[in-house]
Amino acid sequence: MIDASRQDLVLGVVGAGTMGRGIAQVAAAGGIQVLLTDARPEAIADACQFIAKMLNRAAEKGTIPASQANEAIGRVRAVENLQDFSACHVVIEAVAEDLEVKQDVFCRIETIVGDDCILASNTSAIPITSIAANCKRPQRIAGTHFFNPVPLMKLVEIIDGALTEPTVGDALTILGRRMGREPVRCTDFPGFLAGNIGRGFTLEAAHIVEEGVSTFADVDSIMRDVVGFPMGPFQLIDNNGADIVHRAMESVYEGFYQEPYFRPSAMIRQRVIAGLLGRKSGRGFFQYQDGKTVSTEEPKAIPTNRPRSVWVSPVEPACAQALKELLESLGAKLETGAQPSASALCMVTPIGEDATTSVLNQKLDAQRTVAIDALFGFAKRRTCMVTPATSKETVLEAAGLLSADGVPTTVIQDSPGFVAQRIVAMIVNIGCWIAQSGFASPEDIEKAARYGLGYPKGSFGFADHIGVQRILLILNAAQIRTGDPRYRPSPWLSRRGELHGPLAINNYSKS
Ligand code: NAD
């Protein structure tokens, strides 16, 4: 098998479009000789110019020395004939996302390269095993799933097909590192790795909106401001294109034989049919003009109402304490009794439970009660959840008080796990489900979310930060309230919860 660390390694890249040129660029920057080809000669020339422009720009910005940029540009050779790939040690395919086209490209490459040449596909979703199925030597074929834009996105998923020899993935991992990427390894399962963790984020957000809990703009604000995601789920769908996102959702759901974790969203399907595709069509969940988001929302006025006194439920002591400190800083008069006075505004801080359940369990007056999500702090935004019976006056008093310092408050309808708790719990649960299945290691699952999706934490990082028990509380409460099996906790998570063990990195054992 090829030694991927050999200095004279030659990489062939087939397909000089968005991804192929990015892959060629990072390989050349990593000191690797690259041959770049495409079915369209003009695409090859355009890609070479593009790569030179990108590397020169990096040199102008001081990211790399000018001499290194020049050397890297000199390492990319445009070739019009696939026959010129005969000396390649590795070939990465980045042509159109079409099984037949890819199978044809691989079968042709096989007749040109040596027997020990490694072949890899940059497919986003086609099973590697299917691409390799018609090849003479499927054991040397794997996936190398880079992310767009390649030079900025550090992650590369190395995907082992059903027949791929492990040494092939090992060599591609070494090659990925030489290209300055952060490689993670996974087996060939529907949706691969990062995409499935990301479905916890986007799909749960869509289901929350479908359930009438919140608007998509509010979900985005909560996930950005409260949890620290770089982008809200609906902004992300708009950027990627709702049609692409929905197609991938359907294919993964069917690929796993209708696994409830990945149930697609009927709301997104309808929007795709209506042509609300996102940025590329000018309108999706948000509106766009000249590539910029156009704000259609009126800024919400902060209510001036204030409650006479506030009683905070002690049931979740850490959350209650955090909320009391906030309320004191906002000048609230806090009640200290075990029960609220007859006129108090009641605040509960549940984890998992919806506001209605808290009211019933604690025998509170639903009209005067709101639930506050205290799990992620209050620095940039506060989330206030109401029961179906909470009075308008109570909501205005709660929102007025919570935003007395100018920090916005988002009011949402009743939901087990608010918005943030639910979405984070899904990200954790899907990560644990992947770990349980053995598709990827916990370390790689964590890396995929951080480097491929840009999340502040991955599934395991969130679980350890929030606590495994609390994640289980959220999932179990959501399952009881909705009856939906998509909230069933993965055995990986529930076992560790029962044993009171952490999910922390470096603290894993198989299953
Ligand atoms: P693209 O349309 O920008 O580029 C594809 C290139 O392949 C084109 O230049 C085309 O001329 C060429 N091509 C098509 N058939 C060919 C053939 N038979 N032989 C040689 N060249 C051929 O597409 P892209 O966005 O770069 O995607 C390429 C692959 O990477 C796809 O499988 C896609 O799913 C995957 N991918 C894309 C992204 C993304 O965000 N764009 C991210 C990850 C993976």
Side-chain angles (χ1 to χ4, degrees):
M1 190 48 65
I2 294 292
D3 171 11
S5 53
R6 60 188 287 173
Q7 283 310 302
D8 62 348
L9 186 127
V10 180
L11 171 70
V13 178
V14 193
T18 309
M19 297 306 286
R21 60 185 64 185
I23 294 166
Q25 180 187 326
V26 296
I32 296 161
Q33 298 293 332
V34 182
L35 302 182
L36 180 60
T37 195
D38 196 286
R40 293 179 304 121
E42 67 276 17
I44 314 175
D46 188 48
C48 289
Q49 271 179 19
F50 181 83
I51 292 168
K53 193 170 89 183
M54 288 295 129
L55 289 166
N56 283 328
R57 191 180 291 170
E60 279 159 25
K61 281 191 189 160
T63 322
I64 53 169
S67 58
Q68 267 185 35
N70 281 331
E71 281 164 22
I73 293 165
R75 283 189 204 104
V76 182
R77 190 155 75 83
V79 297
E80 288 197 9
N81 194 336
L82 207 53
Q83 292 298 333
D84 292 340
F85 272 35
S86 59
C88 286
H89 300 106
V90 179
V91 176
I92 297 179
E93 164 277 314
V95 305
E97 184 76 349
D98 179 305
L99 177 59
E100 277 181 27
V101 175
K102 286 188 191 295
Q103 282 179 333
D104 173 63
V105 166
F106 276 88
C107 289
R108 280 195 290 134
I109 295 171
E110 264 202 320
T111 64
I112 296 164
V113 297
D115 277 356
D116 58 352
C117 175
I118 291 174
L119 309 183
S121 172
N122 187 54
T123 176
S124 327
I126 301 174
I128 300 303
T129 310
S130 309
I131 293 172
N134 288 355
C135 289
K136 287 198 195 81
R137 296 171 59 81
Q139 63 272 26
R140 53 134 144 215
I141 296 173
T144 43
H145 184 209
F146 291 84
F147 290 70
N148 187 18
V150 180
L152 296 184
M153 300 297 289
K154 285 277 171 203
L155 191 75
V156 56
E157 294 177 343
I158 310 291
I159 303 145
D160 291 80
L163 294 174
T164 313
E165 269 174 20
T167 50
V168 169
D170 295 345
L172 289 170
T173 301
I174 293 169
L175 182 63
R177 289 210 182 93
R178 285 184 70 185
M179 294 163 85
R181 305 301 92 191
E182 199 59 62
V184 292
R185 193 86 175 253
C186 62
T187 48
D188 187 19
F189 63 100
F192 307 139
L193 184 48
N196 284 336
I197 299 165
R199 268 173 271 283
F201 183 59
T202 45
L203 270 175
E204 190 56 20
H207 291 310
I208 283 171
V209 171
E210 284 173 323
E211 217 177 279
V213 172
S214 175
T215 65
F216 45 78
D218 280 346
V219 171
D220 270 20
S221 301
I222 290 170
M223 296 317 287
R224 270 194 316 260
D225 297 347
V226 176
V227 199
F229 281 78
M231 213 181 270
F234 296 103
Q235 192 187 351
L236 184 68
I237 295 171
D238 269 4
N239 283 355
N240 290 344
D243 50 340
I244 310 266
V245 171
H246 185 65
R247 204 179 313 131
M249 281 172 175
E250 286 192 330
S251 121
V252 167
Y253 179 61
E254 294 305 332
F256 281 117
Y257 295 110
Q258 309 192 344
E259 166 53 59
Y261 291 147
F262 300 117
R263 186 183 312 124
S265 153
M267 170 186 70
I268 298 180
R269 184 193 56 213
Q270 291 304 83
R271 298 180 70 91
V272 170
I273 293 167
L276 301 170
L277 307 183
R279 209 171 264 283
K280 64 185 172 187
S281 70
R283 191 170 158 209
F285 291 102
F286 305 97
Q287 292 205 27
Y288 304 90
Q289 210 167 21
D290 302 326
K292 294 208 174 88
T293 312
V294 185
S295 179
T296 51
E297 285 228 338
E298 292 289 314
K300 287 175 193 151
I302 295 175
T304 50
N305 312 42
R306 296 286 183 278
R308 255 192 289 166
S309 62
V310 186
W311 178 85
V312 175
S313 157
V315 167
E316 285 290 346
C319 289
Q321 185 54 34
L323 178 60
K324 279 184 182 171
E325 284 168 20
L326 171 73
L327 296 176
E328 269 170 1
S329 77
L330 296 172
K333 185 175 167 231
L334 291 179
E335 295 192 357
T336 53
Q339 297 298 322
S341 71
S343 63
L345 167 67
C346 305
M347 288 188 170
V348 292
T349 55
I351 295 175
E353 233 172 46
D354 62 6
T356 299
T357 307
S358 295
V359 161
L360 293 174
N361 286 349
Q362 298 179 45
K363 300 188 172 53
L364 298 171
D365 177 354
Q367 288 197 43
R368 290 190 291 128
T369 304
V370 292
I372 311 300
D373 190 353
L375 202 53
F376 301 94
F378 302 111
K380 288 193 182 163
R381 180 172 297 274
R382 287 123 204 194
T383 311
C384 172
M385 181 164 77
V386 301
T387 76
T390 305
S391 73
K392 193 172 175 198
E393 191 188 19
T394 300
V395 180
L396 289 173
E397 285 178 355
L401 173 60
L402 286 166
S403 287
D405 56 357
V407 174
T409 295
T410 301
V411 177
I412 62 167
Q413 301 303 309
D414 212 358
S415 155
F418 298 85
V419 168
Q421 293 184 12
R422 247 168 103 165
I423 293 179
V424 167
M426 276 313 263
I427 292 169
V428 171
N429 200 30
I430 289 179
C432 290
W433 178 77
I434 295 172
Q436 184 66 53
S437 311
F439 293 146
S441 72
E443 289 80 0
D444 281 354
I445 296 167
E446 188 70 13
K447 265 195 209 169
R450 303 279 290 269
Y451 295 107
L453 304 170
Y455 290 179
K457 291 183 174 54
S459 305
F460 299 91
F462 271 126
D464 286 341
H465 181 70
I466 292 166
V468 177
Q469 303 293 336
R470 285 168 157 182
I471 297 288
L472 282 167
L473 275 179
I474 299 163
L475 291 169
N476 287 329
Q479 202 184 0
I480 289 168
R481 174 55 80 190
T482 63
D484 193 329
R486 88 171 178 275
Y487 296 109
R488 72 193 194 283
S490 145
W492 176 281
L493 183 66
S494 54
R495 288 196 183 106
R496 280 155 184 79
E498 285 154 21
L499 294 169
H500 294 271
L503 294 183
I505 297 287
N506 298 330
N507 206 352
Y508 303 111
S509 66
K510 191 89 179 82
S511 82

